[in-house]
Amino acid sequence: MSVTTLSSPALAQRQPNWLVRLFDYKPFLIVMCLAPAIGLLAVFLTYPLGLGIWLAFTDTTIGQRGIFVGLDNFQYLLSDPLWWNAVFYSIVYTAIATFGKFALGFWLALLLNNHFPFKSLLRAIILLPWIVPTVLSALAFWWIYDPQFSIISYLLVDVLHWRTSNVDFLGSPWPARFSLIAANIWRGIPFVAISLLAGLQTISPSLYEAAMLDGASAWQRFRYITFPMMMPILAIVMTFSIIFTFTDFQLVYAITRGGPVNSTHLLATLAFQRGIAGGELGEGAAIAVSMIPFLVFATLFSYFGLARRKWQQGEAND
Amino acid sequence: MAWDSGLRRLMMIYLPLGCFVLILLFPFYWMAITSFKPNAELMNYREHNPFWITSPTLAHIKHLLFDTAYPRWLWTTMMVAIGATTLSLVASTLAAYAIERLRFRGSPYVGLGIYLAYLVPPSILFIPLATVVVQFGLFDSPLALILVYPTFLVPFCTWLLIGYFKSIPYELEECALVDGATRLQILRRITLPLAVPGLISAGIFSFTLSWNEFIYALAFIQSGANKTVPVAILTELVTGDVYQWGALMAGSLLGSLPVAIFYSLFVDYYVSSLTGAVKE
């Protein structure tokens, strides 16, 4: 009798209660662990994505349930010069900004790959444009591009005397388009540079030593070692960059809101203007959905275009 | 020869690096200097050197803090960022643990599915999400943002943490299993403590991404008091034709500071996990 009373607390410790045992049952534990993440993504990502595609085929407006209208929205978009305008600028914006970001970011990564003092401090400072909220730095650019008090105009007119009048950065279509692209490049350089720097550091120095012994010039070393070795990482970073540049919203909304004369609308800002501000949910959703084919195409292009070398050579050649 | 290569180094490395740093940091300098400039200097480049302040003033910051709802916006943004970060960290830690450690049939596909979710950009989702938020009765409530931000935070954090869990030797968990520890004990006492650096970097990323988010906050929040800093500055402070550049730049500066400070505290985690995530 006394033995059982003595051993029961010890037994209870060794034999956990049913709840603990339930959590030790692997299938249950797996479901419990995945539930929060999958649940959140299902309710706030998968469902809205489906709903968005459905809305694109209806004439829903804010406060009013729409009915199925088939391809009407898309047909309307094809006849809408503003939509074509947005497609055109979205492509130009993505192409030039991506090219600029990668050219300058790659250069910066190559520079940072050298040895010099305060390297880690410099790396930390350089990431700042990427950390600071885009809208807040976009506001700084808006102020830098001010027609009257632009600091760039001041430098060009009053200091360097290269021009006689202020630059009207945001007042007419092409200057406004390029001003936005410049701001986007500025913001994208740090991420590209740091990501590519990571890739550069994985290239074995022995490759360069061998090339040096063979008498390869700096350009040949870059062309035949650095560049091919960087292809896989370039493919990944560029795919990301293209997706997020093409669907950019903040920068344009903060600096020009699509103006002047709707020349700087990206598909995302046009979708916002029609869908939320204008209340035409169906049409806005159709504009948003019209981004998907471009995204799929751009992703396949950048991924397979750049990763080609890798799968041509086979995985084992890594 | 030595002098020659020194000069070459200067021209090829230090000069371009200097230009990069100058251009990358200039907008912040301009933001900071505008925040402390009195209006007279702000609008007169002929008599005052625009690159410097002769009589700095706190008027813009005072105006921002006492005449606008700025402190309220900062507070809302902070709460949303902390809430979304906490929620995402819990969800993605569990998901990453299940995918990487509990190993079940199809776990690579679940991982791939979560990763693909990251590639769905918010600008495609905000219109249908707005109707979902209305359905749930969460329109105009910061709670909507806390629930929606994990859609882009969870994929990112799960991806990062899977990599981190991979780096922790599985033998440690096996030993504990043999010793009779339950799976939850193992997670709490062994895996999580070892994964702390990974959790910290996932946390910083989530915090900065939530602070930065714009389009959802713009679409789901209507009343001035509930807005987050980026949206509020743009929609509440930009009024009329005469822009209050001093106050606008002060608002941008103050809004950037929390993220910048947070980032500088953990910068090593940040850079190493960023580079690690890309290498994966």
Side-chain angles (χ1 to χ4, degrees):
Chain A
M1 186 67 191
S2 64
V3 176
T4 39
T5 41
L6 267 176
S7 62
S8 66
L11 240 170
Q13 247 179 7
R14 234 176 273 142
Q15 289 258 307
N17 65 35
W18 64 272
L19 198 69
V20 174
R21 262 182 299 162
L22 183 61
F23 271 99
D24 233 18
Y25 178 56
K26 212 171 146 190
F28 179 78
L29 189 62
I30 290 169
V31 171
M32 288 309 286
C33 281
L34 287 176
I38 305 271
L40 276 169
L41 291 178
V43 176
F44 294 108
L45 193 121
T46 316
Y47 169 62
L49 190 61
L51 183 67
I53 294 171
W54 163 250
L55 281 177
F57 293 99
T58 67
D59 61 355
T60 313
T61 54
I62 283 184
Q64 194 200 323
R65 266 189 120 74
I67 50 158
F68 184 80
V69 293
L71 289 171
D72 279 12
N73 286 326
F74 294 99
Q75 239 163 10
Y76 172 74
L77 287 183
L78 287 180
S79 66
D80 178 9
L82 277 185
W83 181 79
W84 281 108
N85 213 340
V87 170
F88 167 71
Y89 184 54
S90 296
I91 292 173
V92 170
Y93 182 80
T94 311
I96 302 181
T98 306
F99 179 78
K101 267 184 262 198
F102 277 80
L104 293 171
F106 205 164
W107 186 17
L108 183 56
L110 288 168
L111 291 173
L112 286 173
N113 203 25
N114 288 297
H115 291 286
F116 48 83
F118 305 114
K119 205 167 143 177
S120 58
L121 179 73
L122 195 65
R123 241 185 306 179
I125 291 175
I126 275 171
L127 264 178
L128 263 182
W130 196 63
I131 310 297
V132 167
T134 313
V135 169
L136 304 183
S137 51
L139 278 169
F141 270 94
W142 194 21
W143 172 218
I144 287 174
Y145 292 146
D146 187 87
Q148 257 184 298
F149 301 103
S150 168
I151 189 67
I152 303 177
S153 290
Y154 170 80
L155 282 180
L156 294 180
V157 177
D158 293 307
V159 180
L160 299 171
H161 301 288
W162 277 352
R163 283 176 62 98
T164 48
S165 63
N166 279 1
V167 186
D168 188 10
F169 289 99
L170 303 173
S172 39
W174 280 106
R177 286 174 180 145
F178 281 113
S179 301
L180 290 177
I181 291 172
N184 186 292
I185 292 176
W186 174 84
R187 191 186 177 274
I189 288 174
F191 176 71
V192 174
I194 295 293
S195 312
L196 296 187
L197 180 63
L200 284 174
Q201 285 170 350
T202 60
I203 301 177
S204 157
S206 59
L207 287 174
Y208 293 108
E209 282 161 21
M212 296 269 257
L213 283 178
D214 289 343
S217 67
W219 167 249
Q220 283 172 324
R221 273 174 278 151
F222 175 78
R223 173 70 187 80
Y224 294 105
I225 302 176
T226 314
F227 201 62
M229 292 294 280
M230 292 294 284
M231 274 300 171
I233 202 164
L234 266 174
I236 295 173
V237 180
M238 198 175 269
T239 307
F240 270 79
S241 168
I242 289 179
I243 291 179
F244 291 110
T245 310
F246 191 82
T247 60
D248 193 14
F249 176 85
Q250 315 195 23
L251 205 79
V252 172
Y253 191 82
I255 300 180
T256 64
R257 304 219 177 176
V261 285
N262 293 312
S263 60
T264 58
H265 262 305
L266 293 172
L267 284 168
T269 55
L270 190 68
F272 184 87
Q273 197 191 41
R274 297 271 171 85
I276 303 284
E280 299 280 346
L281 286 177
E283 202 189 315
I287 297 172
V289 165
S290 71
M291 282 190 262
I292 295 176
F294 293 101
L295 288 181
V296 171
F297 176 75
T299 308
L300 293 178
F301 177 78
S302 71
Y303 194 78
F304 288 108
L306 287 169
R308 194 184 60 225
R309 282 161 194 279
K310 194 173 176 183
W311 54 260
Q312 272 179 346
Q313 293 165 352
E315 292 291 333
N317 255 354
D318 234 0
Chain B
M1 185 64 196
W3 184 85
D4 202 39
S5 77
L7 184 74
R8 196 182 145 81
R9 208 171 148 77
L10 185 75
M11 294 302 287
M12 296 294 287
I13 300 175
Y14 295 111
L15 192 72
L17 260 184
C19 292
F20 268 113
V21 171
L22 199 72
I23 290 171
L24 289 178
L25 293 189
F26 181 75
F28 300 119
Y29 174 72
W30 198 230
M31 199 190 259
I33 210 166
T34 307
S35 311
F36 297 105
K37 258 188 205 177
N39 278 325
E41 285 184 46
L42 208 55
M43 300 297 169
N44 189 342
Y45 288 173
R46 309 247 171 238
E47 287 163 41
H48 304 277
N49 180 356
F51 291 106
W52 200 239
I53 322 172
T54 33
S55 45
T57 169
L58 287 174
H60 302 307
I61 291 175
K62 212 177 118 201
H63 167 75
L64 197 70
L65 292 180
F66 297 104
D67 305 337
T68 69
Y70 197 82
R72 174 82 198 260
W73 300 331
L74 267 179
W75 179 247
T76 310
T77 318
M78 186 75 83
M79 288 298 109
V80 167
I82 290 175
T85 301
T86 314
L87 189 60
S88 313
L89 274 186
V90 172
S92 45
T93 307
L94 290 174
Y97 182 73
I99 292 167
E100 175 55 30
R101 277 299 199 251
L102 297 177
R103 297 266 170 84
F104 50 95
R105 263 198 315 154
S107 59
Y109 298 103
V110 176
L112 184 69
I114 291 181
Y115 166 69
L116 284 180
Y118 187 67
L119 297 181
V120 181
S123 19
I124 290 183
L125 290 177
F126 71 96
I127 290 175
L129 258 177
T131 68
V132 172
V133 163
V134 171
Q135 275 167 18
F136 285 172
L138 291 174
F139 190 73
D140 205 21
S141 150
L143 185 62
L145 302 181
I146 295 181
L147 288 171
V148 166
Y149 288 178
T151 53
F152 56 86
L153 300 178
V154 164
F156 193 85
C157 295
T158 309
W159 187 33
L160 208 127
L161 287 171
I162 286 179
Y164 215 88
F165 283 146
K166 241 182 227 165
S167 70
I168 301 171
Y170 188 54
E171 289 73 25
L172 285 174
E173 291 186 27
E174 272 177 339
C175 290
L177 264 181
V178 171
D179 286 348
T182 64
R183 296 240 181 219
L184 282 185
Q185 280 176 325
I186 294 173
L187 182 62
R188 208 179 67 220
R189 301 246 174 94
I190 297 173
T191 316
L192 283 187
L194 286 173
V196 164
L199 290 173
I200 292 178
S201 33
I204 315 165
F205 275 107
S206 304
F207 187 84
T208 42
L209 286 174
S210 316
W211 197 279
N212 192 346
E213 207 289 325
F214 182 71
I215 191 166
Y216 291 149
L218 180 70
F220 305 160
I221 306 288
Q222 192 122 61
S223 55
N226 286 340
K227 282 178 178 167
T228 59
V229 170
V231 177
I233 290 189
L234 207 58
T235 56
E236 306 278 315
L237 282 189
V238 178
T239 43
D241 290 336
V242 183
Y243 303 120
Q244 307 174 332
W245 286 114
L248 271 174
M249 288 300 109
S252 300
L253 188 70
L254 285 185
S256 310
L257 277 183
V259 209
I261 292 169
F262 200 59
Y263 159 75
S264 62
L265 291 178
F266 297 103
V267 64
D268 288 333
Y269 288 110
Y270 200 95
V271 175
S272 67
S273 56
L274 184 65
T275 52
V278 176
K279 260 189 245 172
E280 268 296 313

